[in-house]
Amino acid sequence: MARYFIYLAFNGTDYCGWQIQPDAVSVQEKLEKALSLFLRQEIHVTGAGRTDAGVHARLMVAHFDIDEPQDCGWMKNKLNGILPQDISVYRIVPVRADAHARFDAVSRTYRYYLTLEKDPFYRDFAWRQINAPDFELMNKAARMLLETVDFTSFSKLHTDTKTNNCKVTVAHWDRLPDGRWAFTITADRFLRNMVRAVVGTLMQVGRGQLTLDQFRQIIDSKDRCAAGDSAPARGLFLEEIEYPEQLFQLN
């Protein structure tokens, strides 16, 4: 048995998210069907995490097992020839038999994109704001996330997670060369809907609807109902996932 990591990207506009759903089309479903077709055996993949409907990924990682080792370049080319245009495989690499795309990830990075201009090319990939929020104030609020352990206030309710604790190491807004703004957040793990809930609540700070003290109170309340509405899915991208080097040392 051989195990591989697949590094891929997808435009999530037309998908219910990463994870297979009974009555909707998912990225995982498309990937499993493509792998099973050309490898001529039933293949199941395990992703590094879930993404909501409409969320995009510049880099998602998944692992799968196959009976016999295969040429990675051949598999990549076959996959890209079968998958739809909105899913692309960057590379496939062999990993240790116990490597796990989800549990072995040491950090994940998301970016949320805002645009202040009407632009048809960003319509599905950024949240348009007619009036610019106060990004300096939002960055002051974002710094509080670095000191936060329990992110219950920004978690989807009634999930099956055992803990809502996360270690956020990066959280800030930056202006991009093309005029858009991006919120970058890196953590060891993320809760369901966490990034969109954080962005939606930070936007209330930037619009003057919440003070910094009130933002702190929302964090401390551990109450999702106290936080703001989730930002639209279209502006969110999974950007990076990091793994320990020993997963790729086969000997």
Side-chain angles (χ1 to χ4, degrees), residues 68-192:
E68 298 291 338
Q70 303 290 329
D71 179 84
C72 292
W74 174 78
M75 287 194 292
K76 186 194 87 165
N77 292 337
K78 282 289 188 180
L79 270 178
N80 280 328
I82 298 171
L83 288 167
Q85 293 298 314
D86 49 11
I87 304 175
S88 178
V89 175
Y90 295 137
R91 61 192 177 111
I92 300 176
V93 296
V95 293
R96 287 178 7 190
D98 60 346
H100 199 286
R102 178 183 174 190
F103 297 130
D104 286 330
V106 294
S107 72
R108 298 163 174 84
T109 297
Y110 283 87
R111 285 196 182 95
Y112 195 95
Y113 294 88
L114 294 183
T115 179
L116 304 179
E117 302 291 338
K118 183 179 181 181
D119 190 318
F121 300 107
Y122 295 146
R123 183 182 63 178
D124 295 328
F125 306 108
W127 186 15
R128 185 190 173 201
Q129 299 295 307
I130 297 176
N131 298 311
D134 187 333
F135 288 100
E136 183 178 350
L137 195 61
M138 288 197 293
N139 269 333
K140 290 180 180 179
R143 283 195 285 273
M144 298 181 192
L145 301 174
L146 305 179
E147 307 162 0
T148 300
V149 175
D150 189 326
F151 282 83
T152 300
S153 294
F154 304 110
S155 172
K156 187 178 180 69
L157 299 175
H158 311 302
T159 65
D160 56 0
T161 57
K162 296 180 180 179
T163 175
N164 288 337
N165 291 357
C166 305
K167 175 60 177 175
V168 174
T169 55
V170 174
H172 56 77
W173 291 91
D174 295 291
R175 188 172 185 179
L176 305 178
D178 62 11
R180 290 180 301 162
W181 286 80
F183 176 65
T184 302
I185 182 167
T186 300
D188 60 343
R189 63 190 292 264
F190 286 91
L191 309 174
R192 290 187 64 185

Side-chain angles (χ1 to χ4, degrees), residues 52-53 55 112 114 127 129 151-157 173 191-204 207 209 224-236:
D52 294 336
V55 174
Y112 195 95
L114 294 183
W127 186 15
Q129 299 295 307
F151 282 83
T152 300
S153 294
F154 304 110
S155 172
K156 187 178 180 69
L157 299 175
W173 291 91
L191 309 174
R192 290 187 64 185
N193 203 239
M194 175 176 156
V195 181
R196 292 170 58 201
V198 166
V199 171
T201 310
L202 287 174
M203 286 298 296
Q204 289 190 323
R207 292 167 179 160
Q209 298 166 338
R224 176 65 185 93
C225 296
D229 293 336
S230 296
R234 63 181 176 271
L236 183 58

